[in-house]
Structures are given as structure tokens and as C-alpha cells.
């Protein structure tokens, strides 16, 4: 079946530190992979995505590369800011047809806190 | 362009009461979804719809019903609320990209407490 495992938090960093949040997945077929971010009191927003192996998604200084050989999609940022404090969710989109088409499977989320 | 909106933002119910959560999107998206978010559990899919007049069960459908009478609206109903349904509910929508649903866009959420 489909599942996503991401590193448990919380993660606490100082401003300008390097960030890595690990995400691995299990899937039947070839899913699309996503990172969503949730700021306090808000809904989820798409941060970046990759639709096939070796694709790199990037946005706002965040990057993640779709690694089929290691079934991973780790999120990285070279220099975090206080405004990056949020919960980050890794997700995969079921590539199957029929009743499961497009369904998203989420990891449990990783809370990031950045201190000035 | 408001995107995905949800009504209400907060609600407190007593056990056994009923209510309907409304989701509306103005992006002409085909697909709509209802999720619940519980601490340490990520998001879990309750029901979804691939088009007007169609609905399907997700991962945790028990105790919920849905309807999609208009393309832009997706309603989630609780007929007899239980404390286990205390959660934050998110609606999402996505468009059809070449026969496959693309990126999902989320509403701001409804925080529901069942006493």
C-alpha cells in the first residue's frame, strides 16, 4: 500500500541554520511527491512538488529531490528564517486509477521552530 | 478569487447533535476532498468527490456523510456527533490535469469540539 514516513519533531533551529526534514515513502506505482506547509491557525499550502524520479522541486529557498532508488523526498533549506516556523507535511499522490485516483497520503508532520 | 472557503471556522457540539460543514471553491475544480487532522496523525481522508453528483469513501468515513449537489460546494455532515469526532476538518480541491487530479488546494479549516 501507500504510506509516508517523515522524521518526528519538533525541530528547533537558530536563524540561518541548515534544515533537513527526512521523508521516505512506500507506494505502488510511480506517485507524485509533495511538501505542504501549515502556518499556525491556517490550512495547508503547497510548498513544492515533484512528479517523477530525479525531479527537484523548489520554492522559497526550500528544495527536495525525488529519489526513486532510496524512496525518499527529503526537504532542505540552506538558511532558515524565523518566518519558516511552521508544520511541514510530506505527502504522496496515489497514481492509480479508479477509486484511489489522486488521493493524498500524508506523513504525520514535523513542527519546525526557528529562533532569532 | 477566494480559493477554498469553509464555514464555520469553529463549532462546539454536544454528543448526539448534528451539523453540516460547508466547503466552497471558486476555481472550477473537479475534485474535492474532506480531511480530518488530529495531533500526531497527519491528515486522514474522510470522503471525496470526483465531480458534481458523485462521492466516495476515504480512509475514515464512518460517522460522516457528504453531498456534492453543485460543482463548487462539498458538504460534510455529522448526523450524531461523538467526542471521537473532535478534530480540525479541512476541505481541499484540485483540478483535472489530463485525466489526473493535480495539486490540492486547502481551505483554512473548521475546528470542531464535541462535548
Amino acid at each position: 500500500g501507500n504510506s509516508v514516513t517523515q522524521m518526528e519533531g519538533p525541530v528547533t533551529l537558530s536563524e540561518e541554520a541548515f534544515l533537513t526534514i527526512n521523508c521516505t515513502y512506500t507506494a505502488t506505482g510511480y506517485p507524485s511527491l509533495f511538501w505542504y506547509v501549515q502556518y499556525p491557525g491556517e490550512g495547508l499550502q503547497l510548498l513544492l512538488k515533484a512528479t517523477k524520479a530525479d525531479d527537484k522541486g523548489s520554492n522559497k529557498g526550500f528544495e527536495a529531490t525525488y529519489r526513486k532508488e532510496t524512496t525518499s523526498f527529503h526537504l532542505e533549506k540552506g538558511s532558515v528564517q524565523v518566518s519558516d516556523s511552521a508544520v511541514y507535511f510530506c505527502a504522496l499522490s496515489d497514481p492509480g486509477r479508479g477509486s484511489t485516483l489522486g488521493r493524498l497520503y500524508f506523513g504525520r508532520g514535523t513542527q519546525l521552530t526557528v529562533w532569532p | 478569487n477566494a480559493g477554498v472557503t469553509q464555514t464555520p471556522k469553529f463549532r462546539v457540539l454536544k454528543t448526539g447533535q448534528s451539523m453540516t460543514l460547508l466547503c466552497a471553491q471558486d476555481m472550477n475544480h473537479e475534485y474535492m476532498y474532506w480531511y480530518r487532522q488530529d495531533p500526531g496523525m497527519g491528515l486522514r481522508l474522510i470522503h471525496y468527490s470526483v465531480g458534481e453528483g458523485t462521492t466516495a469513501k476515504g480512509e475514515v468515513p464512518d460517522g460522516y456523510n457528504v453531498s456534492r449537489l453543485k460543482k463548487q460546494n462539498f458538504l460534510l455532515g455529522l448526523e450524531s456527533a461523538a467526542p471521537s469526532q473532535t478534530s480540525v476538518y479541512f476541505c481541499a480541491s484540485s483540478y483535472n490535469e489530463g485525466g489526473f487530479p493535480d495539486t490540492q488546494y486547502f481551505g483554512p479549516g473548521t475546528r470542531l469540539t464535541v462535548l
Side-chain angles (χ1 to χ4, degrees), chain B residues 7-57:
Chain B
T7 309
K9 287 186 169 51
F10 303 94
R11 186 72 185 268
V12 178
L13 291 178
K14 295 181 179 178
T15 297
Q17 288 184 317
S18 63
M19 79 163 295
T20 300
L21 282 67
L22 171 64
C23 175
Q25 52 95 3
D26 61 1
M27 297 175 283
N28 201 35
H29 285 173
E30 291 290 335
Y31 302 92
M32 297 188 75
Y33 310 84
W34 275 107
Y35 295 89
R36 60 178 289 173
Q37 183 181 30
D38 301 294
M41 297 292 291
L43 275 75
R44 293 181 292 170
L45 182 65
I46 304 171
H47 286 281
Y48 65 101
S49 168
V50 300
E52 182 178 325
T54 72
T55 62
K57 294 180 180 180

Side-chain angles (χ1 to χ4, degrees), chain A residues 36 38 49 99 102-103 108, chain B residues 37 40 48 59 101-104:
Chain A
Y36 280 85
Q38 184 179 31
K49 70 176 184 180
S99 63
R103 176 177 163 177
R108 295 190 173 189
Chain B
Q37 183 181 30
Y48 65 101
E59 184 182 356
D102 203 79
T103 302
Q104 292 187 23

Side-chain angles (χ1 to χ4, degrees), chain A residues 41-105:
Chain A
E42 298 183 8
L44 277 71
Q45 304 174 24
L46 177 68
L47 181 60
L48 53 85
K49 70 176 184 180
T51 58
K52 61 183 186 296
D54 298 325
D55 268 3
K56 177 185 285 188
S58 62
N59 186 26
K60 298 181 181 180
F62 291 89
E63 294 183 339
T65 301
Y66 189 146
R67 300 288 188 198
K68 185 171 178 293
E69 63 275 12
T70 55
T71 62
S72 65
F73 193 55
H74 303 322
L75 182 68
E76 296 182 336
K77 187 175 186 182
S79 176
V80 293
Q81 305 299 312
V82 172
S83 57
D84 293 327
S85 298
V87 180
Y88 292 82
F89 292 92
C90 184
L92 70 82
S93 177
D94 193 311
R97 293 187 178 274
S99 63
T100 59
L101 178 62
R103 176 177 163 177
L104 280 179
Y105 294 81

